[in-house]
Amino acid sequence: RLDNFQQFNTPPDSSIRIGHLGTTMLSSVINDTLIYSEPEQEYLPFRQMRFIGRTQSENRYVTIRRSKVENEDLIEGVFFTILIIYLVMITAFVSTNFLIVKKIWLPFKKTLNQIKDFSFSGHAEFTPADTNILEFKELNSELKKMTTKLTNDYNALKEFSQNASHEMQTPLAIIQAKLELIFQQPDLSEENLKALNSVYQAANRLSKLHSELSLLTRIENLEFQAHTRINLKNLIENLIENFTDIVAQKTLVLTLNADTDVFIDGNEYLLGIMFSNLFSNAIKHNVENGSIKINLNQTECVITNTGIAPKIPTAMLMERFRKGKASPESLGLGLSIVNEICKVHNFKINYIYENNYHTMQIFY
């Protein structure tokens, strides 16, 4: 039993206790124990050492305790310090690497943007960004040579197409004019009239073919770049007026259901050609006493007409010189022109045939 208990002033994580032993003798011992801590409101681990000391002929019982929490806190502190230093180093390395790489690749990105913006139909020369990096210099040099050659080839092909178009149109116009004069001759036999009519029809067909192929080439070469804000409802209403007589002649019923105003960005000339071709097809490939319905809203234009089933899949009719039926009047270029105009305007077009109805959907 310990009497006359004394406690020295020690740090919070340590304690020394000395007590009288009386006649009881204990051997020295070192062990771990849990002691309740008032500040922490929990039991904390301590390492303690007990031994017996003799002072002035008295046996003394001494207990020295040292908190083990300090070591755990130290390990935890070292761990988090190293972790923070590691994260800071990683962040600094990644940031520095990003800035360096960004600076190194900046000329390449500028050149890439110039390639994206480059157009053969434009007048601006391709000029890559200046750089001191040898590899990028070589790349820019080769790109400049390539774009210069391609531009020259494009301009040569364009000039050839324009010259050929002009030179072909002139003799065709002369042939048509001469044939019209011959038709006016009074002494022509019926046989000669039939032969001349065949020649005249062939000349007209060739002139129309030349015109449509030239238009397709110009559309594919992106020569129609100017886009304006267009009231699509007004455009369609004006086109419908042009087809009124033909619609009445074929005894067709044409109805237009449209929102008040539908505005889109586009080239008015090309959109006029596109809807003219669609209306012309809807009339030409219709049946007697048939119908044409046009539904127009803010997101799409749907043209539906009665008609017989095409002989080939509808998707193939978008290709050049594809026809749904053998017709000497049709060149098979109308829908391919429509398809190219949709591509220029980033429109989506669907052609469906179901239940004796042709449906053309244009999403803008």
Side-chain angles (χ1 to χ4, degrees):
R1 183 173 177 277
L2 295 177
D3 297 322
N4 303 322
F5 174 75
Q6 297 180 27
Q7 183 170 358
F8 289 79
N9 290 327
T10 55
D13 60 343
S14 305
S15 67
I16 300 175
R17 294 185 179 186
I18 300 175
H20 292 286
L21 290 176
T23 57
T24 306
M25 297 292 294
L26 294 174
S27 59
S28 299
V29 65
I30 298 175
N31 62 353
D32 294 331
T33 185
L34 293 174
I35 298 175
Y36 187 77
S37 170
E38 291 292 342
E40 300 291 336
Q41 297 291 310
E42 62 177 337
Y43 284 93
L44 299 178
F46 278 79
R47 171 63 61 89
Q48 69 179 9
M49 181 175 68
R50 294 176 178 177
F51 61 91
I52 301 168
R54 182 179 291 277
T55 304
Q56 297 178 355
S57 302
E58 288 183 341
N59 293 329
R60 296 280 184 165
Y61 175 67
V62 181
T63 302
I64 301 175
R65 293 187 179 125
R66 177 75 175 178
S67 174
K68 295 177 69 177
V69 175
E70 181 183 358
N71 293 336
E72 294 178 359
D73 290 342
L74 179 62
I75 293 170
E76 189 176 337
V78 170
F79 172 78
F80 281 109
T81 302
I82 293 173
L83 181 63
I84 290 168
I85 293 171
Y86 181 74
L87 291 175
V88 169
M89 288 177 64
I90 290 290
T91 305
F93 175 77
V94 170
S95 302
T96 306
N97 188 57
F98 174 76
L99 293 173
I100 292 172
V101 168
K102 186 178 179 182
K103 186 175 180 181
I104 290 173
W105 286 90
L106 186 60
F108 175 78
K109 293 205 171 187
K110 285 182 179 178
T111 302
L112 187 61
N113 289 332
Q114 286 177 328
I115 292 172
K116 289 178 182 177
D117 297 335
F118 180 73
S119 171
F120 293 114
S121 57
H123 300 290
E125 204 176 296
F126 179 77
T127 50
D130 292 330
T131 177
N132 295 322
I133 301 171
L134 180 61
E135 289 80 0
F136 290 164
K137 274 186 176 180
E138 291 179 5
L139 174 66
N140 291 345
S141 174
E142 294 303 318
L143 281 173
K144 190 171 177 66
K145 288 178 188 176
M146 183 182 68
T147 51
T148 302
K149 185 178 184 308
L150 288 173
T151 303
N152 292 336
D153 291 345
Y154 169 80
N155 289 330
L157 182 61
K158 182 180 176 184
E159 187 177 354
F160 170 78
S161 299
Q162 290 173 343
N163 291 340
S165 175
H166 180 267
E167 293 301 322
M168 285 177 65
Q169 193 65 33
T170 303
L172 281 171
I174 293 171
I175 292 170
Q176 287 173 318
K178 293 294 184 183
L179 286 171
E180 287 174 3
L181 287 174
I182 294 172
F183 273 126
Q184 296 173 13
Q185 298 295 324
D187 55 346
L188 288 173
S189 65
E190 186 178 347
E191 200 173 303
N192 287 336
L193 279 172
K194 285 182 180 178
L196 286 171
N197 186 57
S198 296
V199 174
Y200 186 74
Q201 293 296 331
N204 281 342
R205 181 181 172 81
L206 186 58
S207 177
K208 187 180 177 185
L209 176 64
H210 167 266
S211 226
E212 294 194 357
L213 283 174
S214 296
L215 177 62
L216 263 175
T217 303
R218 292 179 65 195
I219 294 170
E220 289 172 349
N221 289 338
L222 304 177
E223 293 185 27
F224 300 95
Q225 292 290 327
H227 285 197
T228 56
R229 197 75 174 159
I230 299 165
N231 189 328
L232 194 56
K233 182 186 176 186
N234 290 345
L235 177 68
I236 289 175
E237 285 176 341
N238 293 333
L239 288 172
I240 287 173
E241 286 182 15
N242 298 335
F243 289 95
T244 303
D245 294 337
I246 305 173
V247 169
Q249 215 169 25
K250 286 197 73 170
T251 60
L252 302 175
V253 178
L254 192 153
T255 55
L256 171 64
N257 300 316
D259 290 351
T260 308
D261 283 309
V262 177
F263 288 96
I264 63 170
D265 292 323
N267 185 287
E268 189 168 0
Y269 173 70
L270 289 182
L271 291 178
I273 291 173
M274 181 178 78
F275 283 104
S276 291
N277 283 358
L278 291 174
F279 295 159
S280 177
N281 276 357
I283 294 167
K284 190 187 302 181
H285 302 292
N286 216 313
V287 294
E288 253 188 77
N289 302 317
S291 65
I292 300 173
K293 296 177 184 177
I294 303 167
N295 294 314
L296 181 67
N297 57 43
Q298 302 297 329
T299 58
E300 64 177 347
C301 177
V302 181
I303 302 171
T304 305
N305 64 276
T306 49
I308 60 173
K311 294 184 177 179
I312 60 175
T314 54
M316 294 178 66
L317 291 171
M318 296 291 181
E319 300 172 6
R320 292 188 185 188
F321 303 109
R322 294 284 191 174
K323 299 188 234 179
K325 62 177 182 176
S327 170
E329 297 175 3
S330 176
L331 297 173
L333 290 174
L335 287 182
S336 62
I337 291 174
V338 170
N339 192 37
E340 289 300 326
I341 292 173
C342 284
K343 287 180 183 177
V344 169
H345 289 84
N346 293 320
F347 296 164
K348 183 181 176 184
I349 183 168
N350 284 335
Y351 181 13
I352 304 165
Y353 180 81
E354 274 183 343
N355 302 322
N356 299 323
Y357 279 94
H358 297 265
T359 303
M360 195 69 69
Q361 299 172 309
I362 298 172
F363 303 92
Y364 35 82

